Amino acid sequence: MGFQFALSIALLAVPLSVGALPQAITTSVLAPSIPALPPGPDATSYPRDGKLHAPEPAPYTPAGGLGTNGSEPVYVVQSDFDFESIALALYQEWIELDLFHNGLARFTTAEFDAAGLNAEDRFLIEFMADQEVGHATLLTNILGPAAPVQCTYQYPFTTVREFLDFCQKLTRFGESGVYGFMNHLNSREAATLLLQSISTEARQQMIFRQFDGLFPMPVWFETGIPQSWGWTLLAPYIKSCPANQTRLAWQNFPALTVVNQPNPARANANLTGFNESISSIPGSASCNSSCGPAITHNRTIPLSYPGRQVYFSWENPGKGVGPNNSYTTSTTASAPAYVVWVSQLNATYSALTNISGNTGMTIQPNMSTFAGDPAVNGTMFVALTDANVTVTPFNLSMINPHVVAGPALYQAG
């Protein structure tokens, strides 16, 4: 259905109260949602002619910019938005630290060797875990004494290949989650440090794609998602946290599942069955050496394609999720009508059809970000909505009041 440029953040929809069930932290709420407003009066006033239009505050220093007046930088949060956003990022760093160590400890050297990863590859995973120590330390220092601490986690993998695939998916929404809020932080100083850490995580995500036998970077632009999207994807893997753990303000949407998720372990992912895991396919259907760990693979048969029938199932709101099931899924939307495909700079809608209870299907759309760049590619995001509202890379969170379920990751390429 309509093609719209899409992506990133502003303020989030207010969580819907569900009886006496546990909720995200909250305070007095001023409105049910953030109103959509026109651009500010000066949004297009600057003449883009390549000339200087104001006195320079110092030699070789054009006028303008934020945080450029010589004030000593202070690397702390400066608003509720800052604290809750960076606290979410810290939850993400903690699980990545645990996840990388968990995979290295769970599987034997022989199992890693059989999956195509040698001792040097395993050391790279260990080094990425060390990076997470630095990231967690950085964000803890920015947040102060109320910073969230590490929790205990539950993971869906039983083989090395499933571990690698889970890592590339988890780092995808971790990276995109920071892109979604970083440029909205009040603290420009904190945003600077956050950029320097998330740039490292982007490299981790690409490495895990390579370990997973996928093309390392099939997109021209990396997407950003709202905080509540990132928290919805992350929370189910947190089993428990200490009793005094700092809680988050973000919404948990009902879970969405891509029932026929393209399987990167298949030689022909178009034959992926319903609720299929990487390890459940017969050996004759596996891509084996043609999709093992490598610098790059260029598949003859793509994982997905425009016109593909994509099937979904989703949960009702009101389910306990997250640490000790202490958060509750919610939505303010009405009945599902659309699937929004969020990838690169795009948020494009397709009709949700064949709806029966909590199942439905759609057709994978055919669109490009720019000519020659198919927008539906890589490890991307889909969600169900009740309307096809127009959103852009700076205000994707305006879609939150319309999200029925999701997001889910879609392995488009």
Side-chain angles (χ1 to χ4, degrees):
M1 312 268 347
F3 171 89
Q4 286 119 13
F5 282 100
L7 266 225
S8 261
I9 203 106
L11 291 176
L12 281 242
V14 177
L16 181 66
S17 177
V18 184
L21 294 177
Q23 291 293 326
I25 61 170
T26 187
T27 181
S28 58
V29 177
L30 302 179
S33 63
I34 303 297
L37 302 174
D42 299 324
T44 59
S45 62
Y46 181 78
R48 297 176 292 173
D49 57 8
K51 299 177 181 180
L52 297 179
H53 297 277
E56 296 178 85
Y60 312 107
T61 307
L66 299 175
T68 60
N69 64 359
S71 298
E72 181 180 354
V74 180
Y75 298 95
V76 298
V77 291
Q78 297 177 5
S79 65
D80 291 346
F81 184 94
D82 286 9
F83 188 97
E84 294 299 321
S85 300
I86 295 178
L88 172 61
L90 181 53
Y91 268 90
Q92 180 78 28
E93 302 295 359
W94 283 132
I95 194 174
E96 289 168 1
L97 172 59
D98 182 85
L99 170 64
F100 301 163
H101 281 151
N102 181 285
L104 290 172
R106 182 184 301 196
F107 302 110
T108 66
T109 297
E111 287 174 307
F112 273 107
D113 288 341
L117 296 187
N118 59 27
E120 292 178 333
D121 299 321
R122 296 192 294 274
F123 179 79
L124 178 55
I125 298 175
E126 177 61 43
F127 183 76
M128 288 190 283
D130 294 341
Q131 291 174 324
E132 299 307 330
V133 174
H135 297 171
T137 301
L138 173 72
L139 300 188
T140 297
N141 291 341
I142 292 172
L143 291 169
V149 298
Q150 195 165 32
C151 301
T152 58
Y153 306 98
Q154 50 197 9
Y155 300 122
F157 53 81
T158 58
T159 67
V160 171
R161 181 64 187 268
E162 289 176 349
F163 162 65
L164 300 173
D165 187 66
F166 182 71
C167 285
Q168 71 90 5
K169 287 181 166 69
L170 184 126
T171 52
R172 168 74 278 137
F173 65 73
E175 178 190 349
S176 291
V178 170
Y179 294 152
F181 70 74
M182 187 169 61
N183 288 321
H184 293 278
L185 293 173
N186 293 95
S187 174
R188 307 316 302 155
E189 299 95 329
T192 297
L193 298 185
L194 199 58
L195 174 62
Q196 292 176 271
S197 66
I198 205 62
S199 297
T200 302
E201 185 148 328
R203 289 162 172 80
Q204 294 177 353
Q205 205 275 333
M206 189 180 81
I207 289 168
F208 280 117
R209 284 185 61 89
Q210 292 172 310
F211 283 169
D212 200 18
L214 298 168
F215 192 79
M217 45 178 184
V219 295
W220 292 6
F221 305 92
E222 299 298 347
T223 195
I225 58 173
Q227 295 98 321
S228 289
W229 287 38
W231 184 227
T232 296
L233 290 166
L234 172 60
Y237 304 113
I238 305 176
K239 184 177 182 179
S240 64
C241 292
N244 61 346
Q245 177 79 321
T246 296
R247 295 178 62 79
L248 296 180
W250 308 114
Q251 186 172 5
N252 297 89
F253 295 108
L256 174 67
T257 299
V258 180
V259 180
N260 61 334
Q261 180 77 265
N263 191 333
R266 274 192 174 271
N268 184 353
N270 299 334
L271 301 178
T272 298
F274 283 7
N275 300 310
E276 185 176 282
S277 72
I278 283 180
S279 301
S280 66
I281 59 176
S284 59
S286 172
C287 49
N288 296 318
S289 60
S290 65
C291 67
I295 293 176
T296 187
H297 283 293
N298 191 13
R299 293 181 181 237
T300 303
I301 303 174
L303 291 184
S304 72
Y305 55 91
R308 182 177 187 260
Q309 293 183 338
V310 184
Y311 294 88
F312 300 97
S313 66
W314 59 93
E315 295 179 350
N316 291 321
K319 179 182 178 181
V321 294
N324 308 107
N325 288 329
S326 63
Y327 293 81
T328 305
T329 61
S330 65
T331 177
T332 57
S334 55
Y338 299 95
V339 177
V340 61
W341 302 74
V342 177
S343 176
Q344 304 194 66
L345 305 180
N346 298 79
T348 300
Y349 294 88
S350 60
L352 181 67
T353 61
N354 293 359
I355 300 172
S356 176
N358 284 35
T359 63
M361 63 86 66
T362 195
I363 301 299
Q364 181 171 321
N366 183 13
M367 79 279 192
S368 298
T369 304
F370 295 111
D373 176 29
V376 177
N377 210 338
T379 309
M380 54 163 295
F381 303 88
V382 290
L384 305 186
T385 68
D386 63 0
N388 57 346
V389 295
T390 300
V391 287
T392 71
F394 202 63
N395 73 341
L396 181 62
S397 64
M398 297 293 284
I399 202 175
N400 282 350
H402 300 281
V403 172
V404 177
L409 291 170
Y410 183 67
Q411 197 62 61

